[in-house]
PDB file of all heavy atoms in Angstrom:
ATOM      1  N   ASP A   1      37.344 -39.484  26.331  1.00 92.00           N
ATOM      2  CA  ASP A   1      37.053 -38.064  26.456  1.00 92.00           C
ATOM      3  C   ASP A   1      37.581 -37.288  25.250  1.00 92.00           C
ATOM      4  O   ASP A   1      36.986 -36.293  24.863  1.00 92.00           O
ATOM      5  CB  ASP A   1      37.723 -37.503  27.749  1.00 92.00           C
ATOM      6  CG  ASP A   1      36.985 -37.991  28.986  1.00 92.00           C
ATOM      7  OD1 ASP A   1      35.794 -38.396  28.867  1.00 92.00           O
ATOM      8  OD2 ASP A   1      37.614 -37.959  30.095  1.00 92.00           O
ATOM      9  N   ASP A   2      38.677 -37.799  24.633  1.00 92.00           N
ATOM     10  CA  ASP A   2      39.268 -37.084  23.491  1.00 92.00           C
ATOM     11  C   ASP A   2      38.785 -37.640  22.164  1.00 92.00           C
ATOM     12  O   ASP A   2      39.327 -37.385  21.108  1.00 92.00           O
ATOM     13  CB  ASP A   2      40.809 -37.141  23.534  1.00 92.00           C
ATOM     14  CG  ASP A   2      41.347 -38.566  23.536  1.00 92.00           C
ATOM     15  OD1 ASP A   2      40.479 -39.571  23.671  1.00 92.00           O
ATOM     16  OD2 ASP A   2      42.578 -38.753  23.427  1.00 92.00           O
ATOM     17  N   GLY A   3      37.743 -38.477  22.212  1.00 93.00           N
ATOM     18  CA  GLY A   3      37.237 -39.125  20.982  1.00 93.00           C
ATOM     19  C   GLY A   3      36.306 -38.174  20.226  1.00 93.00           C
ATOM     20  O   GLY A   3      36.105 -37.005  20.562  1.00 93.00           O
ATOM     21  N   LYS A   4      35.740 -38.703  19.104  1.00 94.00           N
ATOM     22  CA  LYS A   4      34.846 -37.954  18.253  1.00 94.00           C
ATOM     23  C   LYS A   4      33.367 -38.131  18.785  1.00 94.00           C
ATOM     24  O   LYS A   4      32.970 -39.182  19.311  1.00 94.00           O
ATOM     25  CB  LYS A   4      34.888 -38.486  16.842  1.00 94.00           C
ATOM     26  CG  LYS A   4      36.223 -38.203  16.189  1.00 94.00           C
ATOM     27  CD  LYS A   4      36.209 -38.703  14.699  1.00 94.00           C
ATOM     28  CE  LYS A   4      37.547 -38.435  14.051  1.00 94.00           C
ATOM     29  NZ  LYS A   4      37.561 -38.923  12.621  1.00 94.00           N
ATOM     30  N   HIS A   5      32.590 -37.018  18.666  1.00 95.00           N
ATOM     31  CA  HIS A   5      31.198 -37.014  19.084  1.00 95.00           C
ATOM     32  C   HIS A   5      30.451 -38.154  18.492  1.00 95.00           C
ATOM     33  O   HIS A   5      30.545 -38.469  17.278  1.00 95.00           O
ATOM     34  CB  HIS A   5      30.635 -35.694  18.645  1.00 95.00           C
ATOM     35  CG  HIS A   5      29.150 -35.535  18.963  1.00 95.00           C
ATOM     36  ND1 HIS A   5      28.651 -35.569  20.235  1.00 95.00           N
ATOM     37  CD2 HIS A   5      28.071 -35.371  18.156  1.00 95.00           C
ATOM     38  CE1 HIS A   5      27.361 -35.401  20.253  1.00 95.00           C
ATOM     39  NE2 HIS A   5      26.932 -35.305  18.960  1.00 95.00           N
ATOM     40  N   ALA A   6      29.724 -38.940  19.306  1.00 95.00           N
ATOM     41  CA  ALA A   6      28.950 -40.083  18.830  1.00 95.00           C
ATOM     42  C   ALA A   6      27.657 -40.220  19.666  1.00 95.00           C
ATOM     43  O   ALA A   6      27.673 -40.171  20.907  1.00 95.00           O
ATOM     44  CB  ALA A   6      29.771 -41.314  18.999  1.00 95.00           C
ATOM     45  N   VAL A   7      26.523 -40.391  18.953  1.00 96.00           N
ATOM     46  CA  VAL A   7      25.226 -40.500  19.596  1.00 96.00           C
ATOM     47  C   VAL A   7      24.464 -41.667  19.015  1.00 96.00           C
ATOM     48  O   VAL A   7      24.318 -41.824  17.797  1.00 96.00           O
ATOM     49  CB  VAL A   7      24.404 -39.227  19.398  1.00 96.00           C
ATOM     50  CG1 VAL A   7      23.027 -39.350  20.075  1.00 96.00           C
ATOM     51  CG2 VAL A   7      25.146 -38.005  19.955  1.00 96.00           C
ATOM     52  N   THR A   8      24.015 -42.542  19.933  1.00 97.00           N
ATOM     53  CA  THR A   8      23.280 -43.754  19.580  1.00 97.00           C
ATOM     54  C   THR A   8      21.954 -43.792  20.308  1.00 97.00           C
ATOM     55  O   THR A   8      21.967 -43.674  21.539  1.00 97.00           O
ATOM     56  CB  THR A   8      24.072 -45.034  19.904  1.00 97.00           C
ATOM     57  OG1 THR A   8      25.309 -44.967  19.253  1.00 97.00           O
ATOM     58  CG2 THR A   8      23.329 -46.274  19.553  1.00 97.00           C
ATOM     59  N   HIS A   9      20.820 -43.970  19.605  1.00 97.00           N
ATOM     60  CA  HIS A   9      19.502 -44.110  20.222  1.00 97.00           C
ATOM     61  C   HIS A   9      19.090 -45.608  20.126  1.00 97.00           C
ATOM     62  O   HIS A   9      19.249 -46.240  19.070  1.00 97.00           O
ATOM     63  CB  HIS A   9      18.467 -43.262  19.505  1.00 97.00           C
ATOM     64  CG  HIS A   9      18.876 -41.794  19.365  1.00 97.00           C
ATOM     65  ND1 HIS A   9      18.817 -40.912  20.420  1.00 97.00           N
ATOM     66  CD2 HIS A   9      19.354 -41.071  18.308  1.00 97.00           C
ATOM     67  CE1 HIS A   9      19.238 -39.709  20.021  1.00 97.00           C
ATOM     68  NE2 HIS A   9      19.539 -39.806  18.741  1.00 97.00           N
ATOM     69  N   TYR A  10      18.523 -46.093  21.247  1.00 98.00           N
ATOM     70  CA  TYR A  10      18.162 -47.513  21.191  1.00 98.00           C
ATOM     71  C   TYR A  10      16.766 -47.674  21.846  1.00 98.00           C
ATOM     72  O   TYR A  10      16.336 -46.874  22.670  1.00 98.00           O
ATOM     73  CB  TYR A  10      19.135 -48.404  21.924  1.00 98.00           C
ATOM     74  CG  TYR A  10      19.145 -48.197  23.445  1.00 98.00           C
ATOM     75  CD1 TYR A  10      18.359 -48.985  24.279  1.00 98.00           C
ATOM     76  CD2 TYR A  10      19.994 -47.287  24.033  1.00 98.00           C
ATOM     77  CE1 TYR A  10      18.364 -48.799  25.661  1.00 98.00           C
ATOM     78  CE2 TYR A  10      20.028 -47.076  25.399  1.00 98.00           C
ATOM     79  CZ  TYR A  10      19.205 -47.835  26.192  1.00 98.00           C
ATOM     80  OH  TYR A  10      19.169 -47.695  27.562  1.00 98.00           O
ATOM     81  N   GLN A  11      16.090 -48.760  21.432  1.00 98.00           N
ATOM     82  CA  GLN A  11      14.787 -49.096  21.950  1.00 98.00           C
ATOM     83  C   GLN A  11      14.679 -50.619  22.024  1.00 98.00           C
ATOM     84  O   GLN A  11      15.033 -51.314  21.048  1.00 98.00           O
ATOM     85  CB  GLN A  11      13.663 -48.516  21.118  1.00 98.00           C
ATOM     86  CG  GLN A  11      12.279 -48.929  21.606  1.00 98.00           C
ATOM     87  CD  GLN A  11      11.198 -48.325  20.704  1.00 98.00           C
ATOM     88  OE1 GLN A  11      11.472 -47.616  19.705  1.00 98.00           O
ATOM     89  NE2 GLN A  11       9.939 -48.643  21.006  1.00 98.00           N
ATOM     90  N   THR A  12      14.255 -51.164  23.128  1.00 98.00           N
ATOM     91  CA  THR A  12      14.116 -52.601  23.287  1.00 98.00           C
ATOM     92  C   THR A  12      12.876 -53.120  22.530  1.00 98.00           C
ATOM     93  O   THR A  12      11.729 -52.626  22.760  1.00 98.00           O
ATOM     94  CB  THR A  12      14.029 -52.991  24.786  1.00 98.00           C
ATOM     95  OG1 THR A  12      15.194 -52.563  25.453  1.00 98.00           O
ATOM     96  CG2 THR A  12      13.894 -54.552  24.872  1.00 98.00           C
ATOM     97  N   LEU A  13      13.075 -54.072  21.644  1.00 98.00           N
ATOM     98  CA  LEU A  13      11.975 -54.690  20.895  1.00 98.00           C
ATOM     99  C   LEU A  13      11.508 -55.969  21.583  1.00 98.00           C
ATOM    100  O   LEU A  13      10.310 -56.229  21.652  1.00 98.00           O
ATOM    101  CB  LEU A  13      12.401 -55.031  19.465  1.00 98.00           C
ATOM    102  CG  LEU A  13      12.826 -53.828  18.551  1.00 98.00           C
ATOM    103  CD1 LEU A  13      13.245 -54.366  17.208  1.00 98.00           C
ATOM    104  CD2 LEU A  13      11.621 -52.835  18.420  1.00 98.00           C
ATOM    105  N   GLU A  14      12.464 -56.756  22.083  1.00 97.00           N
ATOM    106  CA  GLU A  14      12.168 -58.036  22.726  1.00 97.00           C
ATOM    107  C   GLU A  14      13.137 -58.178  23.908  1.00 97.00           C
ATOM    108  O   GLU A  14      14.303 -57.930  23.758  1.00 97.00           O
ATOM    109  CB  GLU A  14      12.355 -59.202  21.783  1.00 97.00           C
ATOM    110  CG  GLU A  14      11.467 -59.153  20.545  1.00 97.00           C
ATOM    111  CD  GLU A  14      11.753 -60.340  19.598  1.00 97.00           C
ATOM    112  OE1 GLU A  14      12.395 -61.357  20.049  1.00 97.00           O
ATOM    113  OE2 GLU A  14      11.411 -60.254  18.417  1.00 97.00           O
ATOM    114  N   ALA A  15      12.608 -58.655  25.024  1.00 96.00           N
ATOM    115  CA  ALA A  15      13.464 -58.914  26.218  1.00 96.00           C
ATOM    116  C   ALA A  15      13.299 -60.409  26.517  1.00 96.00           C
ATOM    117  O   ALA A  15      12.178 -60.888  26.780  1.00 96.00           O
ATOM    118  CB  ALA A  15      13.045 -58.107  27.418  1.00 96.00           C
ATOM    119  N   HIS A  16      14.385 -61.175  26.513  1.00 96.00           N
ATOM    120  CA  HIS A  16      14.426 -62.564  26.794  1.00 96.00           C
ATOM    121  C   HIS A  16      15.261 -62.895  28.041  1.00 96.00           C
ATOM    122  O   HIS A  16      15.780 -61.939  28.629  1.00 96.00           O
ATOM    123  CB  HIS A  16      14.869 -63.376  25.518  1.00 96.00           C
ATOM    124  CG  HIS A  16      14.024 -63.144  24.367  1.00 96.00           C
ATOM    125  ND1 HIS A  16      12.792 -63.687  24.208  1.00 96.00           N
ATOM    126  CD2 HIS A  16      14.241 -62.353  23.242  1.00 96.00           C
ATOM    127  CE1 HIS A  16      12.269 -63.291  23.060  1.00 96.00           C
ATOM    128  NE2 HIS A  16      13.130 -62.460  22.472  1.00 96.00           N
ATOM    129  N   ARG A  17      15.398 -64.109  28.333  1.00 93.00           N
ATOM    130  CA  ARG A  17      16.004 -64.478  29.627  1.00 93.00           C
ATOM    131  C   ARG A  17      17.442 -63.906  29.756  1.00 93.00           C
ATOM    132  O   ARG A  17      17.757 -63.366  30.813  1.00 93.00           O
ATOM    133  CB  ARG A  17      16.038 -66.010  29.770  1.00 93.00           C
ATOM    134  CG  ARG A  17      16.472 -66.420  31.201  1.00 93.00           C
ATOM    135  CD  ARG A  17      16.250 -67.909  31.376  1.00 93.00           C
ATOM    136  NE  ARG A  17      17.168 -68.704  30.539  1.00 93.00           N
ATOM    137  CZ  ARG A  17      17.209 -70.043  30.584  1.00 93.00           C
ATOM    138  NH1 ARG A  17      16.414 -70.710  31.358  1.00 93.00           N
ATOM    139  NH2 ARG A  17      18.048 -70.679  29.818  1.00 93.00           N
ATOM    140  N   TYR A  18      18.224 -64.022  28.735  1.00 93.00           N
ATOM    141  CA  TYR A  18      19.621 -63.561  28.880  1.00 93.00           C
ATOM    142  C   TYR A  18      20.064 -62.663  27.727  1.00 93.00           C
ATOM    143  O   TYR A  18      21.255 -62.347  27.613  1.00 93.00           O
ATOM    144  CB  TYR A  18      20.563 -64.764  28.998  1.00 93.00           C
ATOM    145  CG  TYR A  18      20.341 -65.828  27.941  1.00 93.00           C
ATOM    146  CD1 TYR A  18      20.901 -65.694  26.628  1.00 93.00           C
ATOM    147  CD2 TYR A  18      19.637 -67.016  28.246  1.00 93.00           C
ATOM    148  CE1 TYR A  18      20.683 -66.676  25.711  1.00 93.00           C
ATOM    149  CE2 TYR A  18      19.464 -67.950  27.252  1.00 93.00           C
ATOM    150  CZ  TYR A  18      19.993 -67.779  25.997  1.00 93.00           C
ATOM    151  OH  TYR A  18      19.816 -68.821  25.053  1.00 93.00           O
ATOM    152  N   ALA A  19      19.130 -62.150  26.951  1.00 97.00           N
ATOM    153  CA  ALA A  19      19.484 -61.257  25.921  1.00 97.00           C
ATOM    154  C   ALA A  19      18.290 -60.426  25.453  1.00 97.00           C
ATOM    155  O   ALA A  19      17.129 -60.798  25.680  1.00 97.00           O
ATOM    156  CB  ALA A  19      20.097 -61.971  24.698  1.00 97.00           C
ATOM    157  N   SER A  20      18.527 -59.277  24.826  1.00 98.00           N
ATOM    158  CA  SER A  20      17.505 -58.406  24.356  1.00 98.00           C
ATOM    159  C   SER A  20      17.742 -57.963  22.939  1.00 98.00           C
ATOM    160  O   SER A  20      18.886 -57.769  22.541  1.00 98.00           O
ATOM    161  CB  SER A  20      17.430 -57.137  25.246  1.00 98.00           C
ATOM    162  OG  SER A  20      17.203 -57.409  26.574  1.00 98.00           O
ATOM    163  N   LEU A  21      16.670 -57.927  22.171  1.00 98.00           N
ATOM    164  CA  LEU A  21      16.741 -57.479  20.779  1.00 98.00           C
ATOM    165  C   LEU A  21      16.410 -55.959  20.766  1.00 98.00           C
ATOM    166  O   LEU A  21      15.345 -55.569  21.200  1.00 98.00           O
ATOM    167  CB  LEU A  21      15.766 -58.236  19.853  1.00 98.00           C
ATOM    168  CG  LEU A  21      15.756 -57.827  18.371  1.00 98.00           C
ATOM    169  CD1 LEU A  21      17.083 -58.149  17.739  1.00 98.00           C
ATOM    170  CD2 LEU A  21      14.627 -58.480  17.632  1.00 98.00           C
ATOM    171  N   LEU A  22      17.352 -55.169  20.244  1.00 98.00           N
ATOM    172  CA  LEU A  22      17.194 -53.706  20.247  1.00 98.00           C
ATOM    173  C   LEU A  22      17.054 -53.184  18.841  1.00 98.00           C
ATOM    174  O   LEU A  22      17.609 -53.757  17.915  1.00 98.00           O
ATOM    175  CB  LEU A  22      18.416 -53.025  20.891  1.00 98.00           C
ATOM    176  CG  LEU A  22      18.856 -53.455  22.258  1.00 98.00           C
ATOM    177  CD1 LEU A  22      20.039 -52.559  22.676  1.00 98.00           C
ATOM    178  CD2 LEU A  22      17.737 -53.415  23.289  1.00 98.00           C
ATOM    179  N   GLU A  23      16.271 -52.100  18.703  1.00 98.00           N
ATOM    180  CA  GLU A  23      16.316 -51.359  17.455  1.00 98.00           C
ATOM    181  C   GLU A  23      17.131 -50.096  17.759  1.00 98.00           C
ATOM    182  O   GLU A  23      16.917 -49.403  18.725  1.00 98.00           O
ATOM    183  CB  GLU A  23      14.888 -50.952  17.027  1.00 98.00           C
ATOM    184  CG  GLU A  23      14.900 -50.138  15.715  1.00 98.00           C
ATOM    185  CD  GLU A  23      13.531 -50.151  15.056  1.00 98.00           C
ATOM    186  OE1 GLU A  23      13.157 -51.204  14.489  1.00 98.00           O
ATOM    187  OE2 GLU A  23      12.891 -49.090  15.035  1.00 98.00           O
ATOM    188  N   ILE A  24      18.090 -49.849  16.893  1.00 98.00           N
ATOM    189  CA  ILE A  24      19.087 -48.790  17.136  1.00 98.00           C
ATOM    190  C   ILE A  24      19.069 -47.816  15.949  1.00 98.00           C
ATOM    191  O   ILE A  24      19.149 -48.233  14.797  1.00 98.00           O
ATOM    192  CB  ILE A  24      20.432 -49.371  17.344  1.00 98.00           C
ATOM    193  CG1 ILE A  24      20.479 -50.197  18.637  1.00 98.00           C
ATOM    194  CG2 ILE A  24      21.512 -48.281  17.413  1.00 98.00           C
ATOM    195  CD1 ILE A  24      21.742 -50.937  18.904  1.00 98.00           C
ATOM    196  N   ASN A  25      19.077 -46.545  16.276  1.00 96.00           N
ATOM    197  CA  ASN A  25      19.180 -45.514  15.249  1.00 96.00           C
ATOM    198  C   ASN A  25      20.452 -44.671  15.566  1.00 96.00           C
ATOM    199  O   ASN A  25      20.651 -44.232  16.667  1.00 96.00           O
ATOM    200  CB  ASN A  25      17.973 -44.568  15.293  1.00 96.00           C
ATOM    201  CG  ASN A  25      16.671 -45.266  14.836  1.00 96.00           C
ATOM    202  OD1 ASN A  25      15.918 -45.771  15.619  1.00 96.00           O
ATOM    203  ND2 ASN A  25      16.494 -45.328  13.509  1.00 96.00           N
ATOM    204  N   LEU A  26      21.248 -44.503  14.499  1.00 94.00           N
ATOM    205  CA  LEU A  26      22.494 -43.789  14.691  1.00 94.00           C
ATOM    206  C   LEU A  26      22.320 -42.326  14.237  1.00 94.00           C
ATOM    207  O   LEU A  26      21.850 -42.050  13.192  1.00 94.00           O
ATOM    208  CB  LEU A  26      23.610 -44.418  13.779  1.00 94.00           C
ATOM    209  CG  LEU A  26      24.092 -45.817  14.182  1.00 94.00           C
ATOM    210  CD1 LEU A  26      25.199 -46.238  13.297  1.00 94.00           C
ATOM    211  CD2 LEU A  26      24.520 -45.833  15.653  1.00 94.00           C
ATOM    212  N   GLU A  27      22.724 -41.434  15.184  1.00 92.00           N
ATOM    213  CA  GLU A  27      22.735 -40.031  14.836  1.00 92.00           C
ATOM    214  C   GLU A  27      24.038 -39.688  14.185  1.00 92.00           C
ATOM    215  O   GLU A  27      24.105 -38.751  13.331  1.00 92.00           O
ATOM    216  CB  GLU A  27      22.509 -39.251  16.144  1.00 92.00           C
ATOM    217  CG  GLU A  27      22.257 -37.736  15.876  1.00 92.00           C
ATOM    218  CD  GLU A  27      21.828 -37.050  17.144  1.00 92.00           C
ATOM    219  OE1 GLU A  27      20.928 -37.579  17.871  1.00 92.00           O
ATOM    220  OE2 GLU A  27      22.360 -35.960  17.441  1.00 92.00           O
TER     221      GLU A  27
END
C-alpha cells in the first residue's frame, strides 16, 4: 500500500497446458 504507483498491461498470446505466453506493456 505504501509502494510506488505501478501499472502493467498484459495480453495472452498463447495458452498451453501449464503455462501462458503473455505480451506485456509497461505504463
